[in-house]
Amino acid sequence: MLDQDRIRRDTPGASGRVFLDSAGSSLPPTVVVDTAVAHLRREAEIGGYRAATERANDLAAVKTSIGTLIGASASSIALSDSATRAWTDFFYSVPLSPGDRILLCEAEYASNAISALHRAEVTGAIVEVIPSDESGRIDVDALATMLDDRVKLVSVVHAPTNGGLINPARAVADLAHRHGALVLLDACQSMGQMRVDVAELDVDALSATGRKWLRGPRGTGFLYLRPGLASTLHPPALDLHSAQWEDASTYRMADDATRFEFWECDVAARLALGAAVDYLLELGIDHVAEAVAERAEYLRAGLRKIPGVTVQDLGDRKSGIVSFTVDGEDPVTVRDRLAAEEVTVTVSHRSSTRLDMTGRGLDAVVRASPHYFVTFAELDTMLAALAGERKFVAGVEVPLT
């Protein structure tokens, strides 16, 4: 069980407001902030190089902690500055030729789709979309009919940015691997809110961010590569960390995931990412997943009771992202109205998940993402504020006028 008293003490930013945007950029626990600030202060005292040398072992341990979280070795992890950077670094390293096929899902995130279309334009590859089934998940049966030896990569968005859907990553991987295709899992929205085990999912690569459900700092992320895969890939760019300059005319790339890293980085942020992962490991990912699921379902149930509110989440199994619309009210207006009452939600626009949103006739949805540090009383406050029953100023209830 989670110690909510301790968690709330560790999350001072949650006091006086209802924070429901961990799918955007979550509130970091105190240890994450303290870790980053302490290293920045040390850099100011002795310089960045010496400060980094002092923490070399701790920096290496960040990969070990991430590996523990996802069931992988440290050598299969490359630290990055975002999930998008990690995803694109891998994607652009996969060899493609004219006629090769790239399969995306209907819930594909805009950055991924743009990269796929760009590479298709440059290489002559073909981008195709796997249909969704009636529940909104990737249609595995349809995928089976699409696969052939020309499919080089299948992209799976594990948990889309615009709703509570969870896609069947393992089922996709099993089918794709029969035809030699690589499976790239976008775990940007699943990492930190549910168990993600790369061995269980059997994916070839995985990208994730630190700032969302992991509760790490912005400007952090990582890439996982299946052992042995790195040596077959050629990253779009290298430096003296990802490769070694052996003589005047030759170089040698790192044998493992390090070939996807650059030497220069934000050491303070990466140490803080490690602190965030360690904090999660201490709490226990299964306890966290249970708490997130409980809060998301509680919120969905409450939203369904409010006249004019429609929950827009798809899928049989759902994530901690809760999406909804309000009849006759623009989602941006809803967001701003709640913000005025110290309730933080965000808006997911069609431009972020164009295929899915267009198919469902949605221009935008309000997105609420309650993490385990959110109390059920705070969810009640959000529901009441949405329904217009109470008004809050600086966290204090005042009469409606």
Side-chain angles (χ1 to χ4, degrees):
M1 298 295 294
L2 298 178
D3 183 346
Q4 288 295 336
D5 289 338
R6 174 216 169 176
I7 288 168
R8 294 291 290 194
R9 289 194 302 270
D10 291 343
T11 314
S15 299
R17 63 183 57 84
V18 182
F19 186 85
L20 302 175
D21 193 22
S22 286
S25 188
S26 191
L27 301 178
T30 302
V31 65
V32 172
V33 178
D34 290 348
T35 298
V37 171
H39 190 75
L40 289 173
R41 286 176 174 161
R42 189 58 174 160
E43 287 184 343
E45 293 170 352
I46 64 172
Y49 283 11
R50 281 188 60 192
T53 299
E54 287 181 346
R55 301 299 299 276
N57 291 337
D58 295 325
L59 193 58
V62 175
K63 293 185 184 182
T64 301
S65 294
I66 293 172
T68 300
L69 180 63
I70 67 172
S73 65
S75 62
S76 67
I77 306 294
L79 299 179
S80 185
D81 60 17
S82 69
T84 298
R85 177 73 67 182
W87 196 96
T88 54
D89 279 353
F90 175 83
F91 178 74
Y92 278 84
S93 73
V94 176
L96 292 174
S97 300
D100 287 343
R101 299 169 64 205
I102 304 164
L103 302 187
L104 307 181
C105 58
E106 286 191 349
E108 203 70 55
Y109 187 58
S111 294
N112 304 352
I114 290 168
S115 294
L117 293 171
H118 175 244
R119 285 212 73 198
E121 183 179 44
V122 171
T123 65
I126 302 166
V127 176
E128 299 174 50
V129 179
I130 311 166
S132 298
D133 63 18
E134 292 181 355
S135 74
R137 305 192 319 162
I138 289 174
D139 189 328
V140 178
D141 292 334
L143 172 62
T145 66
M146 296 177 69
L147 287 166
D148 61 27
D149 293 345
R150 293 181 301 140
V151 177
K152 300 304 177 183
L153 186 137
V154 180
S155 172
V156 179
V157 176
H158 203 194
T161 188
N162 66 329
L165 174 72
I166 300 175
N167 270 315
R170 178 58 191 255
V172 171
D174 287 344
L175 287 172
H177 289 160
R178 294 176 191 173
H179 295 270
L182 296 174
V183 177
L184 171 54
L185 185 70
D186 180 342
C188 189
Q189 290 289 5
S190 57
M191 188 63 58
Q193 67 145 315
M194 66 183 74
R195 178 172 289 279
V196 179
D197 186 297
V198 292
E200 291 178 2
L201 297 176
D202 197 26
V203 295
D204 300 289
L206 174 153
S207 59
T209 186
R211 76 175 191 269
K212 297 182 184 291
W213 300 93
L214 282 176
R215 301 184 65 194
R218 297 194 69 174
T220 60
F222 67 89
L223 171 68
Y224 156 80
L225 297 177
R226 175 172 51 79
L229 183 60
S231 62
T232 70
L233 302 172
H234 292 266
L238 299 169
D239 76 347
L240 76 174
H241 177 76
S242 48
Q244 291 185 352
W245 193 13
E246 294 188 315
D247 58 41
S249 59
T250 63
Y251 66 93
R252 179 171 59 85
M253 286 188 284
D255 295 328
D256 58 15
T258 305
R259 68 174 57 190
F260 286 90
E261 292 180 339
F262 272 22
W263 180 83
E264 180 58 31
C265 67
D266 187 337
V267 176
R270 290 188 175 180
L271 291 171
L273 173 63
V277 175
D278 289 341
Y279 189 85
L280 175 59
L281 290 171
E282 183 181 351
L283 294 178
I285 184 60
D286 291 332
H287 293 312
V288 165
E290 181 180 5
V292 171
E294 287 176 347
R295 285 154 176 76
E297 283 306 311
Y298 185 90
L299 185 56
R300 290 188 186 101
L303 288 168
R304 292 188 181 104
K305 296 177 182 177
I306 302 176
V309 173
T310 302
V311 176
Q312 299 289 353
D313 295 328
L314 301 176
D316 298 325
R317 179 190 171 204
K318 293 181 174 61
S319 76
I321 296 177
V322 179
S323 62
F324 64 94
T325 52
V326 180
D327 291 349
E329 194 169 5
D330 184 80
V332 172
T333 302
V334 175
R335 179 200 64 193
D336 294 346
R337 175 162 65 86
L338 291 175
E341 302 188 16
E342 296 298 333
V343 177
T344 301
V345 296
T346 192
V347 175
S348 186
H349 296 275
R350 180 184 293 192
S351 57
S352 294
T353 46
R354 183 168 294 280
L355 299 177
D356 172 68
M357 300 277 273
T358 300
R360 291 196 280 155
L362 295 170
D363 290 322
V365 294
V366 184
R367 186 183 73 185
S369 44
H371 217 326
Y372 59 84
F373 56 77
V374 176
T375 68
F376 290 98
E378 288 172 337
L379 295 178
D380 287 338
T381 295
M382 180 272 192
L383 292 167
L386 181 65
E389 296 175 5
R390 289 180 288 175
K391 184 174 181 180
F392 293 82
V393 177
V396 178
E397 185 177 349
V398 298
L400 286 170
T401 57

